[in-house]
Amino acid sequence: MLMRRVLFVIAVTITAPVFSQQSEKNENVVLDEVKEIVIDANAPPSTEAGCLSIRGIHNFSSLHDQYLYVEGRGNSHYLFTMDRRCIGLRNAQEIAIENHRDRVCSNSQARVAYRGVGGRMDTCGIRIIEKLEDKSAARTLMEIRTLGK
């Protein structure tokens, strides 16, 4: 057992400088290959993650079976992306938000409840909530995402 420890210490002592020299060589190679990427600080973000209070919702509009436009308090606009296609959401007559809290955010386990096909109540999970400029921006984003589907 003592002999194994001695051999291990000797092996580490001999190979450690070799490995450190090799990693120094690799560092120089990596630094030579790094290229600078210029980011435009003035470019506006395409969308902004959003959270909102359920009590602040003024209006719903189904855009697609997977997308819901929500108009909130203070002229705020949101696009809800469901976790799957929700059959009947596009033509839903009654829509509500179900959540254990007043505040709803992306992936917050909130659900959209709606009266879908045949008038039966159904629910669908909310995956992403994005704050947008207006309803037109929500519709455009939905159309881009559903193009070819």
Side-chain angles (χ1 to χ4, degrees):
M1 184 73 166
L2 180 61
M3 186 60 123
R4 283 187 185 172
R5 286 187 185 172
V6 171
L7 289 175
F8 177 75
V9 171
I10 292 171
V12 170
T13 306
I14 293 171
T15 58
V18 173
F19 286 127
S20 67
Q21 289 173 358
Q22 187 65 33
S23 65
E24 287 174 10
K25 289 178 186 176
N26 289 343
E27 284 178 14
N28 293 337
V29 170
V30 172
L31 291 177
D32 292 340
E33 294 176 8
V34 173
K35 291 186 173 64
E36 183 178 356
I37 299 172
V38 179
I39 297 174
D40 183 4
N42 298 323
S46 58
T47 61
E48 178 183 325
C51 292
L52 70 151
S53 167
I54 293 174
R55 288 184 231 157
I57 294 174
H58 293 290
N59 191 20
F60 293 102
S61 179
S62 301
L63 302 176
H64 184 270
D65 279 344
Q66 196 171 2
Y67 296 96
L68 181 68
Y69 165 76
V70 177
E71 183 181 346
R73 185 179 300 158
N75 198 29
S76 56
H77 307 272
Y78 301 89
L79 180 64
F80 285 23
T81 303
M82 304 300 116
D83 60 2
R84 60 181 169 81
R85 290 180 74 105
C86 307
I87 298 171
L89 180 61
R90 180 183 307 191
N91 300 315
Q93 297 299 315
E94 299 172 20
I95 301 173
I97 305 292
E98 294 179 349
N99 197 23
H100 59 281
R101 293 180 159 178
D102 176 55
R103 190 166 176 78
V104 179
C105 299
S106 296
N107 294 318
S108 65
Q109 298 179 351
R111 303 187 69 72
V112 170
Y114 62 97
R115 193 165 301 282
V117 178
R120 104 173 194 250
M121 288 301 290
D122 204 353
T123 62
C124 219
I126 301 169
R127 185 173 47 135
I128 301 170
I129 299 175
E130 297 167 290
K131 187 173 183 181
L132 302 170
E133 293 180 12
D134 54 21
K135 186 174 183 177
S136 175
R139 184 173 300 283
T140 301
L141 189 57
M142 179 274 306
E143 288 172 355
I144 290 169
R145 290 178 178 168
T146 59
L147 192 64
K149 286 186 180 180

